[in-house]
Amino acid sequence: MSKPLIVITGASSGIGAATARLLSAQGHHLLLLARRLDKLQELGLPETLCRKVDVTDRDALHVAVREAEERFGPADAIVNNAGAMLLGRVEDQSPEEWDRMIDLNIKGVLYGTRAVLPGMLARGAGTIINVSSVAGRKTFPNHTAYVGTKFAVHAMSENLRKEVASSGVRVVTIAPGAVETELLSHTSDEQIKQDYEVWKKSAGGALDPQAVAEAIAYAYHQPSSVTIREIVLAATGQEA
């Protein structure tokens, strides 16, 4: 018997793809969203709907969720994973990069949440899982705009929990340290990218996305009366 529908944004690679594979293996129907449809389809997961959706397009996101719910039943959870890490100094970083992170990391979380939350509140059950970062708890060099967006994810999660807890809806924040994903490749400053790689190696490497996926699944599969409010995880060698 298939398990309830879970929506995963940014599912084409990294944490999103690892989470999709894990939850699919556990028997869940899935709605996978990303800008690269071919990468979603290459996962080849059963009982899965793949749609090319940028989470900054709230109408397209809403339509995809409704389509999945018509096919698989109500969304029992969403993993708001889509995001961008564009590192840079405020003095010379492109403001367009700030806009992209604000749109993806903040608005994308709000749009994803809005697409599933009314139904969850009506049913009195559901789980919102927001993938943030250790950078939502502390600061790092050349991370000013990125840190700001991730602190926002933590704050929004805490505030949303206060709004919905009495209705039976859970809100979980997953805050990984450095993870082996494509995120760093999007940074345009080559020196910052090189310095980050050196820092990562000095810590003995970064987390495997599978470790983050397992943290997400652990939080989700708790009894409905239990909310794992926040999981902060990092490679053992990462000091910061």
Side-chain angles (χ1 to χ4, degrees), residues 158-239:
E158 290 292 324
N159 211 94
L160 178 62
R161 188 179 300 114
K162 293 179 180 179
E163 294 180 12
V164 304
S166 63
S167 299
V169 177
R170 305 183 300 181
V171 181
V172 177
T173 306
I174 305 292
V179 183
E180 290 295 351
T181 70
E182 300 176 358
L183 275 180
L184 181 64
S185 66
H186 303 149
T187 292
S188 57
D189 189 307
E190 291 301 322
Q191 186 60 55
I192 289 176
K193 281 200 287 190
Q194 291 174 22
D195 291 345
Y196 189 94
E197 288 291 355
V198 169
W199 169 76
K200 191 168 65 174
K201 289 178 181 177
S202 72
L207 288 171
D208 188 298
Q210 181 67 21
V212 185
E214 290 174 1
I216 290 169
Y218 169 76
Y220 172 70
H221 287 302
Q222 295 301 304
S224 60
S225 59
V226 176
T227 298
I228 304 295
R229 293 187 172 189
E230 184 173 325
I231 297 178
V232 181
L233 66 159
T236 301
Q238 180 177 330
E239 297 176 357

Side-chain angles (χ1 to χ4, degrees), residues 105-166:
N105 300 356
I106 299 178
K107 292 181 180 178
V109 170
L110 289 170
Y111 295 161
T113 299
R114 183 64 169 269
V116 299
L117 185 58
M120 290 179 177
L121 292 173
R123 294 187 299 275
T127 306
I128 308 291
I129 301 174
N130 295 329
V131 179
S132 183
S133 169
V134 166
R137 283 290 180 227
K138 56 176 65 182
T139 61
F140 296 86
N142 306 316
H143 281 56
T144 299
Y146 178 71
V147 160
T149 65
K150 291 303 184 178
F151 266 68
V153 171
H154 276 76
M156 292 190 301
S157 299
E158 290 292 324
N159 211 94
L160 178 62
R161 188 179 300 114
K162 293 179 180 179
E163 294 180 12
V164 304
S166 63

